[in-house]
Amino acid sequence: MSRNRLMIGTAEELMGSSSGMRGQIVWFALAGVAQGGVFAALLPLLRALLSGDTGGALPWLAVAAGCAVLSALLLWHAANTGYVVGIERIGDRLARRIGEHVVRLPLGWFTAGRAGRLARLTSTSVQDVTGIPSTLLQQIVMAVATPVTVIVVTFFVDWRMGLALVVTAPVALAVFAWVSRVLRDTHGPEDHAHAEVTDRVVEFAQAQQVLRAAGRTEEGWTTLDRALAGHRDAYLHKLGRASRPFGVYVLVVELGFATIMVMGTYLALGGSLRVPDAIAVLILAARFVEPLIQAGDLGGMFRIARVSLDAIGEVMHAKPLPTVSEGPIPADATVELDDVSFGYGERRVLDGFTLRCPPGTVTALVGPSGAGKTTVTRLVARFWDVDSGAVRIGGVDVRELPTADLMSRLALVFQDVYLFDGTIEENVRLGRPDATDAEVRRAAEAARLDEVVARLGAGWETRVGEGGSRLSGGERQRVSIARAVLKDAPIVLLDEATAALDAENEVAVSAAIAELARDRTVLVIAHRLSTVAAADQIAVLDGGRIAELGTHGELLAGGGRYARFWDERKRAAGWRLAAS
Amino acid sequence: MADDDALVRPGALAEMLRPVRGRLVLGMTLAGVGALFAMVPFIAVAEVGRALLSGGAVWPWAIAGAGGAVLRAFFMGASASVCHVANGHFEYGIRSRLARHLGRLPLGWFGDHGSGEVKKAVSDDIKGMHHLVSHALSDMTSAVVAPLVGIVYLLLVDWRMTLALLGFVAAVLAVVSPMLKRGYQAHMGTYNRAQAELAKATVELVDGIEVVKTYGGRARASQRFDEAVTTLTQRCLAWTAAMGRPATAMNIGLAPATMLVWILASGTAFVAAGWLPPADLLPFLAVGVGLPGPYLQVGSAANMLRQGQLGATHVDRLLGLLPLAEPAEPRRPADGRVVFDDVRFSYAPDAPPALDGVSAVLAPGTVTALVGPSGSGKTTMARLLPRFWDPDGGAITLGGVDVRDIPSRELLSRVAIVFQDVVLLRESVRDNIRLGRPDATDAEVEAAAKAARVHDVIMALPDGYDTVLGSDGGGLSGGERQRVTIARAILQDAPVVVLDEATAHADAESEAAIQEALSELAAGRTVMVIAHRLHTIAGADQILVLDSGRIVERGRHEGLLAADGLYARLWRAQNTEVKA
Ligand SMILES: Nc1ncnc2c1ncn2[C@@H]1O[C@H](COP(=O)(O)OP(=O)(O)OP(=O)(O)O)[C@@H](O)[C@H]1O
Ligand SMILES: Nc1ncnc2c1ncn2[C@@H]1O[C@H](COP(=O)(O)OP(=O)(O)OP(=O)(O)O)[C@@H](O)[C@H]1O
Ligand SMILES: [Mg+2]
Ligand SMILES: [Mg+2]
């Protein structure tokens, strides 16, 4: 019982509210006691009936019927509320809390393989927990409450038989605990292995192109095979380990019954126990063997629910970035990184990085691949927190801004475009759901998305597929630019926003961005120097800090890193891929 | 789709279970024998009672009852073990079979269905069959055997009383069963879909987390997640309303307590009427009370059976999808010459053609560049070569053989592709690079990484080449990720190399270096390069200019500039910008 309460405590902590499960336990226990009353009535009834006194049996028959009706009503109520409690108060609530919690976690939490795992959590694990207040509690509570009631009554009839009924109980309980322990140790790994299967399957589907190209779908992708075999082994291991204690448990219960059988017969034959009483006790003992064995099984199911809860708990206990609900209002759209140091792990990526982007200007961030350009945008959007120094918007530290406030000021185009499986229009409207049609069209024009919409068969209604997989690279990128333009935020961060565009589209989109910059703060990251040259200031990122800062002309004249960069690009321009 | 989701193809399940049929038959036999023994203690209790009352031999029955209890424990346990082990092997077998099969479907299927569907089939549907294999079949066997034995015994005791008992059970079932069945059919399909939808929404929430964060709670993904939770909750509630109540009614109606009251009531009447000697009531109390018990289990076993069948049907439907046809008479390509001959293709019957009569020859030892506006069909051309899709019209040949006549394994081993969308697997960097050639040595892997200019980056990772990508600390920048995929293609060492925007995210410095490495790679091979940065392909032996799925120009750089068409326009757009 204490374990159950522990579990309910865990569930409620995760849900942040009362689960209603304690109430369920009380109802089921009452129903179980009433049911015990039915069985207990068998003792006086048999005394009367077996002596041929049907008239004397009638009152007890009425008692039994009364208890049965009472038990039925209690059970009906408890079971039906149990379903609703499970679905609405536990399942619905847990799933939503997981969703809400996860989006507040820092990006660092989203390591690979999270998607499949989390999907399993919300769709399967939560469902496991949903069944607790109805089926699981009902069966386990009643499997205990009913026999206990009968045993108590039996003690009044004959203490020796009462003793016979309980004599194996401590042993059974001890073995039950053993079963439970083994399951705890082995079900966890099995669950883990299954989560790994789910992850790998999602990965398998999402990486089809690559896997096929590498011949992995033909010859088998060993990683998936390993996950599948790993799950099989964990499963068989669990069976191997759990079957012995479980078998012992069943045997103990059955031996308990055998004891009662032999003892009842002995006492009845010896004449010290009335025959009808002996028979009644034997009938009842035979009846309770099965529920008790099932209780062992149910213990296993509790374990499973417990493991599910723990898995949910693991996610819910991940620390979100600390947020505030109210903060100062930024003075303007200036973006400022002040002596920022940051690393994803041990290795420093930014080290004393300082940069100021005033409103109404375009700042271009250039630097070699891996220098930390994308990292800068992530810090501005506070996907991660700096290790030291500060990122400020309009003079306010981003850590002092409520998340919603901060996000409402930013429009981002990411280096890796991600679209949601829906229509083009839905994906663009994400930028500002209440935008008018005219605004959506204007954003589309700026991003040259209008051309795409006109060309594709279903126009705005074209479905983009999972992650945007049914659009070409450049089309996808234009959807994400349109989305950012539509958002109409004072600060725009563009990470390689035109990398997948052809020259003509790039020129057009760049012009639109320049237009956008007139009353906004724009930070662009680009490897194509064309986009860079026109910026109001160019920041060259190298070695984790700004190596040079100035306009195109100034930096070229300076003859430093940027000038070398420029040369390199020009050399690359003269350089051609050829097979000679 | 909506309703035939709930339709079960009868043979599907049996066919899938074939590999473990032997084990299952053994398990069911053990369960049947166990069920026989399971009845012995009940009968023994009744007979001991009768013997005590009539003064007959008591001990033989008492011993039989005790022995039966122990034997049933043994057989039931053995049955459960056998079935669970069968299930372990079954799950593994069917999952690998399914994964292999999916890998042979036309790629378009994945675009249409997404990873959610794959996850549901491989992970959830098969999990759904788990109950069936490990529990339902043996439960049903004992649910048939045990009541049969019981009924025969009771009929021998008194047929009228037996009929009274069976009549009651039949009446309860007559009321409840149709409700259960209707509820099941109406709701199981929608419930399953709601669950799959939530899984999919969760995957999107995680995969698109950057977008979700930026667009805050209004993001489509959060919204969809919320909607999916709501839908699932509603489905669960509807399912409970339809199924939960009748199930509870059945549980109450056939509960031992209810049965006891009914038997006592009718038995008292029978005894009072003189139809039944009081002692003959004992068999009914001992055996009759539990008679419908196994049926309650069949109730849940039947649910599992249905759920299993539903899963089996879905899996079966997937296994029934036609894979890309393997050639009846496989032929081997002579060399790396690629010919597109009037190729026509569209992604869907109602979509505009992505390729509209494309003809081209790509000779070994030459570089062919594909350029053109975004969405013009460049990536599509690259995808048809390894048969990710088959053309609707025309043909593609490799080394003189139609790609449809080359066994997939052979074909895929001859084509190395760097995709526009970078996909890395959650595996070590080393395994990612040698995906296409799992037997490559560490030295070869490093050489490829050096050529792709990513070796130093890898060495800086926490575990070097053994760092699992995407794990904590295993993150790479956009350009670094792209370079890993280039290393992958370099290592694959195939006669045909396709590079789709392979250096889009490279900085000038590494781009030049990578191009150099790629030129080395290109020697003697057939190379197809897709690029928007025209300077990178200006030296190609042949440039194909695509527009709306057609090749509108072809030739070498100088010739195309002179022709002053689309290519010249694109070139100028890029180079007026890049004036220094
Ligand atoms: N999620 C991450 N976890 C750990 N390290 C990371 C992560 N993302 C990036 N890094 C590392 O941080 C450094 C900077 O990465 P960043 O993405 O900011 O580079 P970048 O300048 O945008 O490069 P590119 O031009 O290639 O996109 C790189 O060395 C990269 O390996
Ligand atoms: N999986 C798909 N399903 C349906 N339509 C698709 C799919 N992939 C591409 N398309 C469509 O086919 C057309 C050609 O796409 P493709 O990817 O070949 O263009 P591309 O020339 O590579 O463009 P980009 O330069 O933008 O990468 C586009 O209109 C695109 O929307
Ligand atoms: Mg980057
Ligand atoms: Mg493309």
Side-chain angles (χ1 to χ4, degrees), chain A residues 455-531:
Chain A
R455 176 158 44 82
L456 295 178
W460 284 101
E461 297 305 311
T462 306
R463 295 196 68 85
V464 303
E466 183 177 5
S469 62
R470 291 163 80 168
L471 295 183
S472 86
E475 290 167 351
R476 212 177 308 151
Q477 201 158 45
R478 283 181 273 173
V479 173
S480 86
I481 296 171
R483 177 156 79 191
V485 170
L486 183 66
K487 187 168 180 187
D488 194 23
I491 298 167
V492 183
L493 309 176
L494 303 165
D495 194 355
E496 303 263 3
T498 56
L501 294 188
D502 58 274
E504 286 189 319
N505 277 316
E506 189 193 5
V507 172
V509 171
S510 300
I513 291 173
E515 173 71 23
L516 209 62
R518 270 199 318 197
D519 46 1
R520 288 181 177 76
T521 311
V522 178
L523 181 68
V524 289
I525 295 170
H527 284 305
R528 296 197 195 171
L529 295 186
S530 51
T531 324

Side-chain angles (χ1 to χ4, degrees), chain A residues 126-401:
Chain A
V126 168
Q127 293 293 308
D128 286 345
V129 182
T130 304
I132 298 178
S134 46
T135 353
L136 215 50
L137 280 184
Q138 173 186 337
Q139 293 181 330
I140 206 152
V141 171
M142 291 185 65
V144 174
T146 304
V148 166
T149 310
V150 173
I151 289 171
V152 168
V153 173
T154 309
F155 261 106
F156 283 107
V157 176
D158 187 282
W159 65 271
R160 290 165 307 179
M161 284 310 279
L163 207 60
L165 285 176
V166 293
V167 73
T168 48
V171 186
L173 273 179
V175 182
F176 186 82
W178 181 22
V179 173
S180 197
R181 217 168 32 243
V182 169
L183 279 175
R184 182 193 56 208
D185 294 345
T186 55
H187 182 70
E190 197 241 328
D191 191 64
H192 231 73
H194 191 252
E196 172 75 2
V197 166
T198 311
D199 277 355
R200 289 301 184 185
V201 165
V202 169
E203 190 176 16
F204 170 78
Q206 290 180 339
Q208 268 301 305
Q209 292 210 39
V210 165
L211 290 172
R212 282 177 192 224
R216 287 306 103 211
T217 52
E218 282 298 315
E219 291 165 38
W221 181 33
T222 40
T223 310
L224 179 61
D225 290 345
R226 251 201 321 270
L228 294 180
H231 174 247
R232 179 196 55 197
D233 296 344
Y235 179 81
L236 292 179
H237 176 74
K238 173 175 102 170
L239 289 181
R241 291 265 324 266
S243 64
R244 184 158 1 132
F246 191 71
V248 172
Y249 172 76
V250 172
L251 206 63
V252 167
V253 173
E254 296 283 21
L255 283 175
F257 168 74
T259 313
I260 294 164
M261 182 100 205
V262 170
M263 188 168 152
T265 308
Y266 176 79
L267 290 179
L269 280 178
S272 69
L273 180 64
R274 293 163 72 173
V275 169
D277 290 353
I279 295 172
V281 170
L282 286 185
I283 289 176
L284 293 177
R287 190 51 42 226
F288 293 131
V289 168
E290 203 174 273
L292 285 177
I293 289 178
Q294 274 179 7
D297 255 338
L298 292 170
M301 286 169 72
F302 253 106
R303 266 286 143 221
I304 292 176
R306 172 91 233 187
V307 167
S308 293
L309 265 185
D310 287 347
I312 294 170
E314 207 182 297
V315 170
M316 296 300 286
H317 288 137
K319 281 243 174 313
L321 287 174
T323 48
V324 291
S325 53
E326 253 175 278
I329 297 171
D332 58 15
T334 309
V335 175
E336 200 181 351
L337 290 99
D338 184 6
D339 194 23
V340 166
S341 295
F342 174 79
Y344 292 98
E346 300 284 285
R347 198 160 46 93
R348 276 279 158 93
V349 174
L350 298 180
D351 194 5
F353 180 96
T354 300
L355 177 67
R356 188 165 178 278
C357 313
T361 66
V362 177
T363 303
L365 195 57
V366 300
S369 167
K373 305 181 291 297
T374 300
T375 306
V376 170
T377 63
R378 287 179 180 151
L379 294 179
V380 173
R382 211 185 161 214
F383 290 165
W384 264 278
D385 272 339
V386 296
D387 295 337
S388 71
V391 177
R392 295 193 199 94
I393 304 260
V396 180
D397 193 310
V398 289
R399 283 168 293 197
E400 284 163 19
L401 278 172

Side-chain angles (χ1 to χ4, degrees), chain B residues 236-279:
Chain B
C236 285
L237 288 174
W239 149 275
T240 312
M243 295 279 301
R245 280 162 213 270
T248 308
M250 183 159 102
N251 274 337
I252 293 175
L254 299 181
T258 316
M259 293 300 296
L260 189 67
V261 169
W262 171 255
I263 290 172
L264 284 172
S266 52
T268 309
F270 272 54
V271 170
W275 291 351
L276 193 75

Side-chain angles (χ1 to χ4, degrees), chain B residues 355-369:
Chain B
L355 292 180
D356 193 6
V358 169
S359 297
V361 178
L362 287 68
T366 67
V367 174
T368 300

